[in-house]
Amino acid sequence: MLEMLGFSSEGWSGMMLVAALTTLGLTFAALLVGAVFGAWVAGAKLSRRRLWRFFGDGYSVIFRGIPELLIIYLFYFGGSGFLTMIGRFFGADGYIEIPAFLIGALAIGMISGAYQGEVYRGAVMAVSSGELEAAYAMGMSKACVLRRILLPQVLRYSLPGLANVWQMSLKDSALVSVTGIVELMRASQVAAGSTRHYFTFYIIGGLCYLVLTGLSNPLINRAEKRFGRSGKTPFASR
């Protein structure tokens, strides 16, 4: 049992460690992708134009209403099939497969973007309109108001919600195992199937997710205390 759990050539700990790093990288990439789409969703839903609000609402309904696993399947098989069709149009032969990491980051990122959009929208609505009016009355430009007043407060109000999105994306990364990428869930499946110790390696996989969650919670709490109480943010510096 100890050899099976060790870092030797016969052990599986090395693969589990690499898989944990892959899970972290995938989650970080998905969170960044989601931040871009989430900012767009928030801006669209807060827009005065009905068409933009329609697109923002539609994005939220689609990516929050369809199961995450189905979205990953659609991105993986649909995206590869679409690229294969384009390739054949230009004379290429064979099946063009999109890298699993890219598909996972994009799919989970767009899912998290729907939730991040609601977080950002709520944070913007929490900013006092009187502060913005006073800033404009003082002659501040829109860019200055955005950097000095709006973004610092949006960041403070968004942190608790973004912490939940991070936890959700971390768990959703397990679904990307269906594409073949060796993250924690896939590594647990491979190790369990090879050794026939299913309970042992699935428990280890679950503990690894708990460790990643536990390590991220103090960082999140520290950021909330620093930016929430003092009001200092990177945007507010001169």
Side-chain angles (χ1 to χ4, degrees):
M1 176 66 73
L2 293 178
E3 291 184 359
M4 184 178 62
L5 299 177
F7 285 91
S8 64
S9 58
E10 298 180 357
W12 294 91
S13 294
M15 187 183 73
M16 296 294 290
L17 178 60
V18 173
L21 295 176
T22 302
T23 295
L24 277 178
L26 182 63
T27 307
F28 273 119
L31 203 68
L32 293 177
V33 172
V36 175
F37 284 97
W40 175 82
V41 169
K45 299 186 76 168
L46 292 170
S47 175
R48 296 180 181 179
R49 297 184 178 182
R50 183 177 300 177
L51 182 62
W52 282 111
R53 294 198 303 271
F54 172 79
F55 283 125
D57 290 334
Y59 184 100
S60 295
V61 169
I62 291 173
F63 284 94
R64 291 196 298 171
I66 299 178
E68 288 87 348
L69 184 59
L70 180 56
I71 292 176
I72 293 173
Y73 276 133
L74 290 174
F75 273 64
Y76 186 63
F77 294 107
S80 297
F82 181 72
L83 285 182
T84 301
M85 181 180 65
I86 294 178
R88 289 176 179 174
F89 178 80
F90 287 101
D93 295 327
Y95 184 75
I96 302 176
E97 185 174 350
I98 302 177
F101 188 94
L102 179 61
I103 286 293
L106 184 60
I108 297 177
M110 294 188 71
I111 293 168
S112 74
Y115 294 93
Q116 289 191 54
E118 296 300 323
V119 172
Y120 298 144
R121 184 176 69 91
V124 171
M125 295 177 66
V127 178
S128 172
S129 59
E131 293 184 52
L132 302 179
E133 293 173 359
Y136 288 127
M138 293 174 60
M140 296 177 67
S141 64
K142 290 184 178 181
C144 187
V145 170
L146 180 67
R147 182 175 63 88
R148 301 282 296 173
I149 297 178
L150 188 59
L151 285 181
Q153 296 193 66
V154 167
L155 177 60
R156 284 206 308 276
Y157 295 138
S158 298
L159 279 174
L162 291 178
N164 291 329
V165 175
W166 162 261
Q167 305 282 12
M168 181 194 72
S169 299
L170 185 63
K171 292 187 295 182
D172 284 350
S173 65
L175 300 175
V176 186
S177 62
V178 298
T179 65
I181 185 173
V182 184
E183 41 67 65
L184 267 177
M185 186 63 194
R186 181 63 177 170
S188 301
Q189 291 174 334
V190 172
S194 300
T195 61
R196 303 298 181 185
H197 289 81
Y198 297 99
F199 183 77
T200 299
F201 281 100
Y202 284 134
I203 285 293
I204 291 174
L207 291 175
C208 287
Y209 280 108
L210 287 177
V211 168
L212 294 179
T213 302
L215 291 176
S216 60
N217 281 336
L219 297 176
I220 294 171
N221 292 335
R222 183 176 179 180
E224 289 182 5
K225 290 179 180 179
R226 179 181 178 183
F227 297 144
R229 292 181 181 177
S230 66
K232 296 180 180 179
T233 67
F235 304 109
S237 60
R238 291 186 181 272

